Amino acid sequence: MSWFLLNRNLTLLEPYDWKLSCTVLRGERGSNAPDLPGKALSSANMADYLRYMYKTVRKYFGEAIVVTQEVDDIISSPIVKESIINNSDCKILLDQRKYMNKFDQIQSLLGLTEKEKSQILSINQSNDPSRRYKEVWIGLGGTHSAVYATEVSMQEYLAYTTEETEKMEVRELAEKPGGDMEAAIRQVAERRKEERTGQ
């Protein structure tokens, strides 16, 4: 099946289209998450495209996931409300403290209850300082919602950290003769464990 994009703004989603046609339309279940830039969201054709995408993915037992880092993408675009939010049974929000002044708009747009609002605004407010984790809010179909702690092993943390000093520590070890990234991650993780336990 070939997919033709009708608007040049939609070329931003070509990799998603290709992946969708290669997985979901072949009957393979899975989920893909295009990160939609605000410029594409402002396109008049985007609403029709997103409605079509959601219906097609659901028809083939797939799951469409949309990710955005800018709250203004959600607040300022009627396209998002019509095409994405109304078709999303599962909503996931990270720490929203920097949007406290805009959160009433977000609450209204997402159709959140007062209980859900208080859950979301409690994210990362009283984390255990001795552990390295972040909290996330998950709401399912307006019937279930909770804040969950997401914690990974030290090895996983070091593999994906964006903290420059930690990345450099691992990279320097990996670049030594006979070293590799996996061994470097294990070595740094073991060192951190020893420092914590005082052994």
Side-chain angles (χ1 to χ4, degrees):
M1 175 180 279
S2 297
W3 287 44
F4 297 96
L5 300 178
L6 303 175
N7 184 290
R8 62 187 171 161
N9 288 334
L10 301 184
T11 58
L12 296 164
L13 293 174
E14 279 179 330
Y16 179 79
D17 273 329
W18 180 83
K19 192 168 186 180
L20 176 65
S21 63
C22 291
T23 56
V24 174
L25 298 181
R26 278 200 322 240
E28 298 174 15
R29 295 183 182 218
S31 62
N32 304 298
D35 190 352
L36 299 176
K39 189 173 180 183
L41 288 174
S42 65
S43 162
N45 292 332
M46 184 59 82
D48 288 336
Y49 173 77
L50 289 172
R51 274 193 291 270
Y52 169 71
M53 181 185 71
Y54 267 84
K55 286 180 183 177
T56 304
V57 169
R58 217 178 299 157
K59 181 178 177 182
Y60 290 93
F61 307 105
E63 182 179 1
I65 299 172
V66 176
V67 177
T68 183
Q69 295 179 1
E70 295 297 326
V71 72
D72 288 331
D73 290 347
I74 296 172
I75 292 173
S76 62
S77 176
I79 292 169
V80 174
K81 182 172 183 179
E82 293 170 20
S83 305
I84 299 173
I85 294 173
N86 292 343
N87 287 297
S88 299
D89 290 330
C90 176
K91 297 176 179 71
I92 301 172
L93 293 171
L94 304 180
D95 195 326
Q96 299 294 308
R97 278 178 288 179
K98 65 182 178 180
Y99 302 119
M100 290 281 278
N101 295 334
K102 296 180 177 180
F103 202 79
D104 287 342
Q105 292 173 276
I106 297 170
Q107 179 184 7
S108 174
L109 185 64
L110 296 179
L112 302 171
T113 65
E114 285 300 316
K115 177 186 172 187
E116 290 170 330
K117 176 183 177 180
S118 64
Q119 288 174 335
I120 293 163
L121 295 179
S122 75
I123 292 173
N124 295 328
Q125 293 291 332
S126 56
N127 291 9
D128 181 346
S130 67
R131 293 171 51 203
R132 188 182 294 259
Y133 67 92
K134 295 287 184 184
E135 292 182 331
V136 59
W137 177 84
I138 301 175
L140 300 174
T143 58
H144 295 84
S145 65
V147 174
Y148 299 92
T150 57
E151 185 171 21
V152 297
S153 69
M154 182 54 71
Q155 289 87 341
E156 289 171 298
Y157 172 81
L158 290 167
Y160 297 102
T161 182
T162 56
E163 190 67 42
E164 190 65 25
T165 56
E166 294 170 331
K167 284 170 32 178
M168 293 307 298
E169 184 181 4
V170 171
R171 191 170 292 142
E172 285 168 11
L173 279 173
E175 289 172 355
K176 287 185 177 178
D180 62 48
M181 191 63 74
E182 192 175 332
I185 288 171
R186 277 198 305 268
Q187 191 174 343
V188 174
E190 191 59 38
R191 186 185 308 153
R192 298 265 176 99
K193 182 180 175 184
E194 289 171 2
E195 288 170 0
R196 269 201 325 268
T197 58
Q199 296 175 347

